[in-house]
Coordinates of all heavy atoms in Angstrom, one line a residue:
M10 N 84.5 97.1 145.5 CA 85.4 96.5 146.2 C 86.3 95.7 145.3 O 87.5 95.6 145.4 CB 84.8 95.5 147.4 CG 85.9 94.9 148.2 SD 86.7 96.3 149.2 CE 87.2 95.6 150.6
N11 N 85.7 95.1 144.3 CA 86.5 94.3 143.3 C 87.4 95.2 142.5 O 88.6 94.7 142.2 CB 85.5 93.5 142.3 CG 86.1 92.4 141.7 OD1 87.3 92.0 142.0 ND2 85.4 91.6 140.9
F12 N 86.9 96.4 142.1 CA 87.7 97.4 141.5 C 89.1 97.6 142.3 O 90.2 97.9 141.7 CB 87.0 98.7 141.2 CG 87.8 99.8 140.7 CD1 88.3 99.8 139.4 CD2 88.2 100.9 141.5 CE1 88.9 100.9 138.8 CE2 89.0 101.9 140.9 CZ 89.3 101.9 139.6
W13 N 89.0 98.0 143.6 CA 90.1 98.3 144.4 C 91.1 97.1 144.5 O 92.3 97.2 144.6 CB 89.7 98.8 145.8 CG 89.0 100.0 145.7 CD1 87.7 100.2 145.8 CD2 89.3 101.3 145.3 NE1 87.2 101.6 145.7 CE2 88.5 102.2 145.2 CE3 90.8 101.6 144.9 CZ2 88.5 103.5 144.9 CZ3 90.8 103.1 144.4 CH2 89.7 104.1 144.5
R14 N 90.5 95.8 144.5 CA 91.5 94.6 144.5 C 92.2 94.5 143.2 O 93.4 94.2 143.2 CB 90.5 93.4 144.7 CG 90.2 93.3 146.1 CD 89.4 92.0 146.3 NE 88.9 91.8 147.7 CZ 88.1 91.0 148.0 NH1 87.6 90.0 147.3 NH2 87.6 91.0 149.3
S15 N 91.7 94.8 142.0 CA 92.3 94.8 140.9 C 93.3 95.8 140.7 O 94.4 95.6 140.2 CB 91.3 94.9 139.7 OG 90.8 96.1 139.6
C16 N 93.1 96.9 141.3 CA 94.0 98.1 141.2 C 95.2 97.7 142.1 O 96.5 97.9 141.7 CB 93.5 99.4 141.7 SG 92.2 100.2 140.6
L17 N 95.0 97.1 143.2 CA 96.1 96.8 144.2 C 96.8 95.6 143.6 O 98.2 95.6 143.6 CB 95.5 96.3 145.5 CG 96.4 95.9 146.5 CD1 97.4 97.1 147.0 CD2 95.7 95.2 147.8
R18 N 96.3 94.6 142.9 CA 96.9 93.7 142.2 C 97.8 94.2 141.1 O 99.0 93.7 140.9 CB 95.9 92.6 141.6 CG 96.6 91.2 141.2 CD 95.5 90.3 140.8 NE 94.4 90.2 141.6 CZ 93.0 90.4 141.2 NH1 92.8 90.5 140.0 NH2 92.1 90.3 142.1
C19 N 97.3 95.2 140.3 CA 98.2 95.7 139.3 C 99.4 96.5 139.9 O 100.4 96.4 139.2 CB 97.3 96.7 138.5 SG 98.0 97.5 137.0
W20 N 99.0 97.3 140.9 CA 100.2 98.0 141.6 C 101.2 97.0 142.1 O 102.4 97.3 141.9 CB 99.6 98.8 142.7 CG 100.7 99.6 143.3 CD1 101.1 100.8 143.0 CD2 101.4 99.2 144.6 NE1 102.2 101.2 143.8 CE2 102.3 100.2 144.8 CE3 101.3 98.1 145.5 CZ2 103.1 100.2 146.0 CZ3 102.1 98.0 146.6 CH2 103.0 99.1 146.7
R21 N 100.9 96.0 142.6 CA 101.8 95.0 143.1 C 102.7 94.4 141.9 O 104.0 94.2 142.2 CB 101.0 93.7 143.9 CG 100.7 94.2 145.2 CD 100.1 93.1 146.0 NE 99.6 93.4 147.3 CZ 98.6 92.8 148.0 NH1 98.2 91.7 147.4 NH2 98.3 93.3 149.2
R22 N 102.0 94.1 140.9 CA 102.7 93.5 139.7 C 103.8 94.6 139.2 O 104.8 94.1 138.9 CB 101.8 93.2 138.6 CG 101.4 91.7 138.8 CD 100.5 91.2 137.5 NE 99.2 91.2 137.9 CZ 98.2 91.7 137.3 NH1 98.4 92.3 136.1 NH2 96.9 91.7 137.6
S23 N 103.3 95.8 139.2 CA 104.3 96.8 138.7 C 105.4 97.1 139.6 O 106.5 97.2 139.1 CB 103.5 98.3 138.6 OG 102.5 98.2 137.6
A24 N 105.3 97.1 141.0 CA 106.3 97.1 141.9 C 107.2 95.9 141.8 O 108.4 96.1 142.0 CB 105.7 97.2 143.4
Q25 N 106.7 94.7 141.5 CA 107.7 93.6 141.4 C 108.5 93.8 140.1 O 109.6 93.3 140.2 CB 106.8 92.3 141.3 CG 106.3 92.0 142.6 CD 105.4 90.8 142.6 OE1 105.1 90.2 141.4 NE2 104.9 90.2 143.6
R26 N 107.9 94.3 139.1 CA 108.7 94.5 137.8 C 109.9 95.4 138.0 O 110.9 95.3 137.4 CB 107.8 94.9 136.6 CG 107.1 93.9 136.1 CD 106.4 94.3 134.8 NE 105.1 93.7 134.7 CZ 103.9 94.3 134.7 NH1 103.8 95.6 134.6 NH2 102.8 93.5 134.6
L27 N 109.7 96.6 138.8 CA 110.6 97.5 139.1 C 111.8 96.9 139.9 O 112.9 97.4 139.8 CB 110.1 98.6 139.9 CG 109.1 99.6 139.2 CD1 108.5 100.7 139.9 CD2 109.8 100.3 138.0
Q28 N 111.6 95.9 140.8 CA 112.6 95.3 141.4 C 113.5 94.4 140.7 O 114.6 94.2 141.1 CB 112.0 94.4 142.7 CG 111.4 95.5 143.8 CD 110.6 94.7 144.7 OE1 110.5 93.4 144.6 NE2 110.0 95.3 145.7
R29 N 113.0 94.0 139.5 CA 113.8 93.2 138.7 C 114.8 93.8 137.7 O 115.3 93.2 136.7 CB 112.7 92.3 137.9 CG 112.1 91.4 138.8 CD 111.1 90.5 137.9 NE 110.3 89.8 138.9 CZ 109.0 89.3 138.5 NH1 108.7 89.3 137.3 NH2 108.3 88.7 139.3
R30 N 115.2 95.0 138.0 CA 115.9 95.7 136.9 C 117.5 95.1 137.2 O 117.8 94.8 138.3 CB 115.9 97.2 137.2 CG 116.5 97.7 138.6 CD 116.4 99.2 138.7 NE 117.0 99.6 139.9 CZ 116.6 99.7 141.0 NH1 115.3 99.2 141.3 NH2 117.2 100.2 142.0
P31 N 118.3 95.2 136.1 CA 119.7 94.6 136.3 C 120.5 95.5 137.2 O 120.4 96.8 137.2 CB 120.0 94.6 134.8 CG 119.3 95.5 134.2 CD 117.9 95.6 134.8
Q32 N 121.3 94.8 137.9 CA 122.3 95.7 138.9 C 123.6 95.8 138.1 O 124.0 95.0 137.2 CB 122.5 94.8 140.1 CG 121.3 94.6 141.0 CD 120.7 95.9 141.6 OE1 121.6 96.6 142.0 NE2 119.5 96.1 141.6
M33 N 124.4 96.8 138.6 CA 125.7 96.9 138.0 C 126.7 95.8 138.6 O 126.5 95.5 139.6 CB 126.3 98.4 138.4 CG 125.7 99.5 137.6 SD 126.7 100.9 137.9 CE 126.6 101.2 139.6
S34 N 127.6 95.6 137.7 CA 128.6 94.5 138.1 C 129.4 95.1 139.3 O 129.5 96.2 139.4 CB 129.4 94.1 137.0 OG 130.3 95.1 136.6
V35 N 130.0 94.2 140.0 CA 130.8 94.6 141.3 C 132.0 95.5 140.7 O 132.5 96.4 141.3 CB 131.3 93.5 142.0 CG1 132.2 93.9 143.1 CG2 130.0 92.7 142.6
R36 N 132.5 95.0 139.7 CA 133.7 95.7 139.1 C 133.5 97.1 138.7 O 134.2 98.0 139.0 CB 134.3 94.9 137.9 CG 135.7 95.4 137.3 CD 136.1 94.6 136.3 NE 137.2 95.2 135.6 CZ 137.9 94.6 134.5 NH1 137.4 93.5 133.9 NH2 139.0 95.2 134.0
R37 N 132.3 97.3 137.9 CA 131.9 98.6 137.5 C 131.5 99.5 138.7 O 131.8 100.7 138.7 CB 130.7 98.5 136.6 CG 130.1 99.8 136.1 CD 129.1 99.7 135.1 NE 129.8 99.9 133.8 CZ 129.2 99.8 132.6 NH1 128.0 99.5 132.5 NH2 129.8 100.1 131.5
N38 N 130.9 99.0 139.6 CA 130.4 99.7 140.8 C 131.7 100.1 141.5 O 131.8 101.3 142.1 CB 129.5 98.8 141.8 CG 128.9 99.5 142.9 OD1 129.0 100.8 142.8 ND2 128.4 98.8 143.7
R39 N 132.7 99.4 141.7 CA 133.8 99.6 142.4 C 134.7 100.8 141.6 O 135.2 101.7 142.3 CB 134.8 98.4 142.6 CG 135.9 98.6 143.6 CD 136.6 97.3 143.8 NE 135.8 96.2 144.2 CZ 135.9 95.1 143.5 NH1 136.7 94.8 142.6 NH2 135.0 94.0 144.0
R40 N 134.6 100.7 140.3 CA 135.4 101.6 139.5 C 134.6 103.0 139.7 O 135.4 104.1 139.8 CB 135.4 101.2 138.1 CG 136.3 102.2 137.2 CD 136.1 101.7 135.7 NE 136.7 100.3 135.6 CZ 136.4 99.5 134.6 NH1 135.5 99.9 133.7 NH2 136.9 98.3 134.6
L41 N 133.4 103.1 139.5 CA 132.6 104.3 139.6 C 132.7 105.0 141.2 O 132.8 106.2 141.1 CB 131.1 104.1 139.3 CG 130.8 103.9 137.8 CD1 129.2 103.7 137.7 CD2 131.2 105.1 137.1
R42 N 132.8 104.2 142.0 CA 132.9 104.5 143.4 C 134.4 105.2 143.6 O 134.4 106.4 144.2 CB 132.8 103.4 144.4 CG 132.7 103.9 145.9 CD 132.3 102.8 146.8 NE 131.8 101.6 146.3 CZ 132.3 100.4 146.6 NH1 133.2 100.2 147.5 NH2 131.8 99.3 146.0
G43 N 135.3 104.5 143.0 CA 136.7 105.1 143.0 C 136.8 106.4 142.4 O 137.5 107.3 142.8
I44 N 136.1 106.5 141.1 CA 136.2 107.8 140.4 C 135.4 108.8 141.2 O 135.9 110.0 141.3 CB 135.6 107.6 139.0 CG1 136.3 106.7 138.1 CG2 135.2 108.9 138.3 CD1 135.7 106.2 136.8
F45 N 134.3 108.5 141.8 CA 133.6 109.6 142.7 C 134.5 110.1 143.8 O 134.6 111.3 143.9 CB 132.3 108.8 143.2 CG 131.7 109.7 144.2 CD1 131.0 110.9 143.9 CD2 131.9 109.5 145.6 CE1 130.3 111.6 144.9 CE2 131.2 110.1 146.6 CZ 130.5 111.2 146.1
W46 N 135.2 109.1 144.5 CA 136.0 109.6 145.7 C 137.2 110.4 145.1 O 137.6 111.3 145.8 CB 136.4 108.4 146.4 CG 135.2 107.9 147.4 CD1 134.6 106.8 147.3 CD2 134.7 108.6 148.4 NE1 133.6 106.8 148.2 CE2 133.6 107.9 149.0 CE3 134.9 109.9 149.0 CZ2 132.9 108.3 150.0 CZ3 134.1 110.3 150.0 CH2 133.1 109.6 150.6
A47 N 137.7 110.1 144.0 CA 138.9 110.8 143.6 C 138.5 112.2 143.1 O 139.2 113.2 143.4 CB 139.5 110.0 142.3
A48 N 137.2 112.3 142.6 CA 136.9 113.7 142.1 C 136.4 114.6 143.3 O 136.8 115.7 143.4 CB 135.6 113.5 141.3
L49 N 135.9 113.9 144.4 CA 135.4 114.6 145.6 C 136.8 115.0 146.3 O 136.8 116.1 146.8 CB 134.6 113.7 146.5 CG 134.1 114.4 147.7 CD1 133.1 115.5 147.4 CD2 133.5 113.3 148.6
T50 N 137.8 114.2 146.3 CA 139.1 114.6 146.9 C 139.7 115.7 146.1 O 140.3 116.6 146.9 CB 139.9 113.4 147.0 OG1 139.3 112.3 147.8 CG2 141.2 113.7 147.7
A51 N 139.6 115.6 144.9 CA 140.3 116.8 144.1 C 139.6 118.0 144.3 O 140.3 119.0 144.4 CB 140.2 116.3 142.5
V52 N 138.3 118.0 144.4 CA 137.5 119.3 144.5 C 137.8 119.9 145.9 O 138.0 121.1 146.1 CB 136.0 119.0 144.5 CG1 135.2 120.2 144.9 CG2 135.6 118.8 143.1
A53 N 137.9 119.1 147.1 CA 138.3 119.5 148.3 C 139.6 120.0 148.5 O 139.9 121.1 149.0 CB 138.0 118.4 149.3
V54 N 140.7 119.3 147.7 CA 142.0 119.9 147.8 C 142.1 121.2 147.1 O 142.7 122.1 147.7 CB 142.9 118.8 147.3 CG1 144.3 119.5 146.9 CG2 143.0 117.6 148.2
L55 N 141.6 121.3 145.9 CA 141.5 122.5 145.1 C 140.9 123.6 145.8 O 141.3 124.9 145.7 CB 140.9 122.3 143.7 CG 141.8 121.3 142.8 CD1 141.1 121.1 141.5 CD2 143.2 122.0 142.6
F56 N 139.7 123.4 146.6 CA 139.1 124.4 147.3 C 140.0 124.9 148.5 O 140.1 126.2 148.6 CB 137.7 123.8 148.0 CG 136.9 124.8 148.8 CD1 136.3 125.7 148.2 CD2 137.0 124.7 150.2 CE1 135.6 126.7 149.0 CE2 136.4 125.6 150.9 CZ 135.7 126.6 150.5
V57 N 140.5 124.1 149.2 CA 141.5 124.5 150.2 C 142.7 125.3 149.6 O 143.0 126.3 150.3 CB 142.0 123.3 151.0 CG1 143.0 123.6 152.1 CG2 140.7 122.6 151.9
L58 N 143.2 124.8 148.5 CA 144.3 125.6 147.9 C 143.9 127.0 147.4 O 144.6 127.8 147.5 CB 144.9 124.9 146.8 CG 145.8 123.6 147.2 CD1 146.2 122.8 145.8 CD2 146.9 124.0 148.0
G59 N 142.7 127.0 147.0 CA 142.2 128.3 146.5 C 142.0 129.3 147.5 O 142.4 130.5 147.5
I60 N 141.3 128.8 148.7 CA 141.2 129.6 149.9 C 142.5 130.1 150.5 O 142.8 131.3 150.8 CB 140.4 128.9 151.0 CG1 139.0 128.7 150.4 CG2 140.5 129.7 152.3 CD1 138.1 129.9 150.3
T61 N 143.5 129.2 150.5 CA 144.8 129.6 151.0 C 145.6 130.6 150.0 O 146.1 131.5 150.6 CB 145.7 128.3 151.1 OG1 145.0 127.3 151.9 CG2 147.1 128.5 151.6
A62 N 145.4 130.3 148.7 CA 146.1 131.4 147.8 C 145.4 132.7 147.9 O 146.1 133.7 148.0 CB 146.0 130.8 146.5
A63 N 144.0 132.7 148.1 CA 143.4 134.1 148.3 C 143.8 134.7 149.6 O 144.1 136.0 149.5 CB 141.8 133.9 148.3
C64 N 143.9 133.9 150.7 CA 144.4 134.5 152.0 C 145.8 135.0 151.8 O 146.0 136.1 152.4 CB 144.2 133.5 153.1 SG 142.6 133.0 153.5
I65 N 146.7 134.3 151.3 CA 148.1 134.9 151.2 C 148.1 136.1 150.3 O 148.9 137.1 150.5 CB 149.0 133.7 150.5 CG1 149.0 132.6 151.5 CG2 150.2 134.2 150.0 CD1 149.8 131.3 151.1
Q66 N 147.4 136.1 149.2 CA 147.5 137.2 148.2 C 146.8 138.4 148.9 O 147.4 139.6 148.8 CB 146.6 137.0 146.9 CG 146.7 138.1 145.8 CD 146.0 137.7 144.6 OE1 145.3 136.7 144.6 NE2 146.1 138.6 143.6
A67 N 145.8 138.3 149.6 CA 145.2 139.4 150.3 C 145.9 139.7 151.7 O 145.6 140.9 152.1 CB 143.7 139.1 150.6
R68 N 146.8 138.9 152.1 CA 147.5 139.2 153.3 C 146.5 139.4 154.5 O 146.7 140.0 155.5 CB 148.4 140.5 153.3 CG 149.6 140.3 152.3 CD 150.4 141.4 152.4 NE 151.2 141.6 151.1 CZ 151.0 142.7 150.3 NH1 150.2 143.7 150.8 NH2 151.7 142.7 149.2
A69 N 145.5 138.6 154.4 CA 144.4 138.6 155.5 C 143.6 137.4 155.5 O 143.3 136.8 154.3 CB 143.4 139.9 155.3
F70 N 143.2 136.7 156.7 CA 142.4 135.6 156.7 C 141.0 135.9 156.0 O 140.6 135.0 155.3 CB 142.3 135.1 158.1 CG 141.6 133.8 158.2 CD1 142.2 132.5 157.7 CD2 140.3 133.8 158.8 CE1 141.4 131.4 157.9 CE2 139.5 132.6 158.8 CZ 140.1 131.4 158.4
E71 N 140.4 136.9 156.3 CA 139.2 137.2 155.6 C 139.4 138.1 154.4 O 139.2 139.3 154.3 CB 138.2 137.9 156.7 CG 138.0 137.1 157.9 CD 137.1 137.7 158.9 OE1 137.2 139.0 159.1 OE2 136.5 137.1 159.7
F72 N 139.7 137.4 153.3 CA 140.2 138.1 152.2 C 139.0 138.9 151.4 O 139.2 139.8 150.8 CB 140.7 137.1 151.1 CG 139.8 136.0 150.6 CD1 138.8 136.2 149.7 CD2 139.8 134.8 151.5 CE1 138.0 135.1 149.4 CE2 139.0 133.8 151.1 CZ 138.1 133.9 150.0
W73 N 137.8 138.5 151.8 CA 136.6 139.3 151.3 C 136.6 140.6 151.6 O 136.1 141.6 151.0 CB 135.3 138.5 151.3 CG 135.1 138.0 152.8 CD1 134.3 138.8 153.6 CD2 135.5 136.8 153.3 NE1 134.2 138.0 154.8 CE2 135.0 136.8 154.6 CE3 136.2 135.7 153.1 CZ2 135.1 135.9 155.6 CZ3 136.4 134.7 153.9 CH2 135.9 134.8 155.2
H74 N 137.1 140.9 153.1 CA 137.1 142.1 153.6 C 138.1 143.0 152.9 O 137.9 144.2 152.4 CB 137.3 142.1 155.0 CG 136.2 141.7 155.9 ND1 135.1 142.4 156.1 CD2 136.0 140.6 156.6 CE1 134.2 141.7 156.9 NE2 134.8 140.5 157.1
A75 N 139.3 142.4 152.7 CA 140.4 143.1 152.1 C 140.2 143.6 150.7 O 140.7 144.5 150.2 CB 141.7 142.2 152.2
W76 N 139.5 142.7 149.9 CA 139.2 143.0 148.5 C 137.9 143.8 148.3 O 137.6 144.1 147.2 CB 139.0 141.6 147.7 CG 140.4 141.0 147.5 CD1 141.6 141.5 147.8 CD2 140.5 139.6 147.3 NE1 142.5 140.6 147.6 CE2 142.0 139.4 147.3 CE3 139.7 138.6 147.0 CZ2 142.4 138.2 147.0 CZ3 140.2 137.3 146.8 CH2 141.6 137.1 146.6
G77 N 137.2 144.1 149.5 CA 135.9 144.9 149.4 C 134.7 144.2 148.8 O 133.8 144.9 148.2
W78 N 134.6 142.9 149.0 CA 133.5 142.2 148.5 C 132.2 142.5 149.4 O 132.4 143.0 150.6 CB 133.7 140.7 148.5 CG 134.6 140.2 147.5 CD1 135.3 140.8 146.6 CD2 134.9 138.7 147.3 NE1 136.2 140.1 145.8 CE2 135.9 138.8 146.3 CE3 134.5 137.7 147.8 CZ2 136.3 137.5 145.8 CZ3 135.1 136.4 147.5 CH2 136.0 136.4 146.3
F79 N 130.9 142.4 148.9 CA 129.8 142.4 149.7 C 129.7 144.0 150.3 O 129.1 144.0 151.4 CB 129.7 141.4 150.8 CG 129.9 140.1 150.2 CD1 131.0 139.3 150.8 CD2 129.1 139.5 149.4 CE1 131.2 138.0 150.3 CE2 129.2 138.1 148.8 CZ 130.4 137.5 149.4
G80 N 130.2 145.0 149.7 CA 130.1 146.3 150.3 C 131.0 146.7 151.3 O 130.8 147.8 151.9
Y81 N 131.8 145.8 151.7 CA 132.9 146.1 152.7 C 133.9 147.1 152.2 O 134.2 147.1 151.0 CB 133.6 145.0 153.2 CG 132.7 143.9 153.8 CD1 132.8 142.6 153.4 CD2 132.1 144.1 155.0 CE1 132.0 141.6 154.0 CE2 131.3 143.3 155.8 CZ 131.3 141.9 155.2 OH 130.6 141.1 155.7
S82 N 134.3 148.0 153.0 CA 135.4 148.9 152.5 C 136.7 148.3 152.6 O 137.1 147.5 153.3 CB 135.5 150.2 153.5 OG 135.9 149.7 154.8
S83 N 137.5 148.4 151.5 CA 138.8 147.7 151.2 C 139.8 148.3 152.3 O 140.1 149.4 152.5 CB 139.3 148.0 150.0 OG 140.5 147.3 149.7
G84 N 140.4 147.3 153.0 CA 141.3 147.5 154.1 C 142.7 147.7 153.5 O 143.7 148.3 154.0
I85 N 143.1 146.9 152.4 CA 144.4 147.0 151.7 C 144.3 147.7 150.4 O 143.4 147.3 149.6 CB 144.9 145.6 151.5 CG1 145.1 144.9 153.1 CG2 146.2 145.6 151.0 CD1 145.4 143.5 153.1
A86 N 145.1 148.7 150.2 CA 145.1 149.3 148.9 C 145.6 148.3 147.8 O 146.6 147.6 148.0 CB 146.1 150.5 148.9
G87 N 145.0 148.5 146.6 CA 145.5 147.7 145.5 C 144.6 146.6 145.1 O 144.3 145.9 144.4

């Protein structure tokens, strides 16, 4: 029983040390959050623009059918 108590005591000390790690400053946290949201917004906008360009070029909403992807027969020549 004494062995298990010492193991539990050691585990508690280790868990307390993990909680004492330094936190990021508010300014750095805000800056990183802003960079993350800007990058996420850019990816979303570019994705929508890419899909729109593909639909316009293929002259079909389902451009993968028009281009013959995934074994579909091509509906538009070229």
Side-chain angles (χ1 to χ4, degrees):
M10 190 65 156
N11 205 6
F12 171 76
W13 294 112
R14 284 183 185 169
S15 65
C16 288
L17 182 62
R18 195 175 315 125
C19 181
W20 180 81
R21 284 182 182 160
R22 270 189 257 132
S23 298
Q25 287 174 353
R26 279 189 218 125
L27 288 175
Q28 293 172 357
R29 293 180 187 161
R30 67 183 188 274
Q32 298 290 323
M33 283 193 301
S34 67
V35 174
R36 184 177 177 188
R37 174 176 264 174
N38 190 14
R39 193 177 305 131
R40 185 180 303 153
L41 286 175
R42 194 176 341 136
I44 291 170
F45 169 77
W46 282 111
L49 185 67
T50 303
V52 166
V54 167
L55 291 174
F56 178 77
V57 170
L58 286 175
I60 295 293
T61 304
C64 291
I65 290 171
Q66 184 181 8
R68 296 186 206 116
F70 182 71
E71 296 175 340
F72 57 88
W73 54 92
H74 287 289
W76 291 341
W78 289 5
F79 310 115
Y81 295 120
S82 60
S83 180
I85 298 174

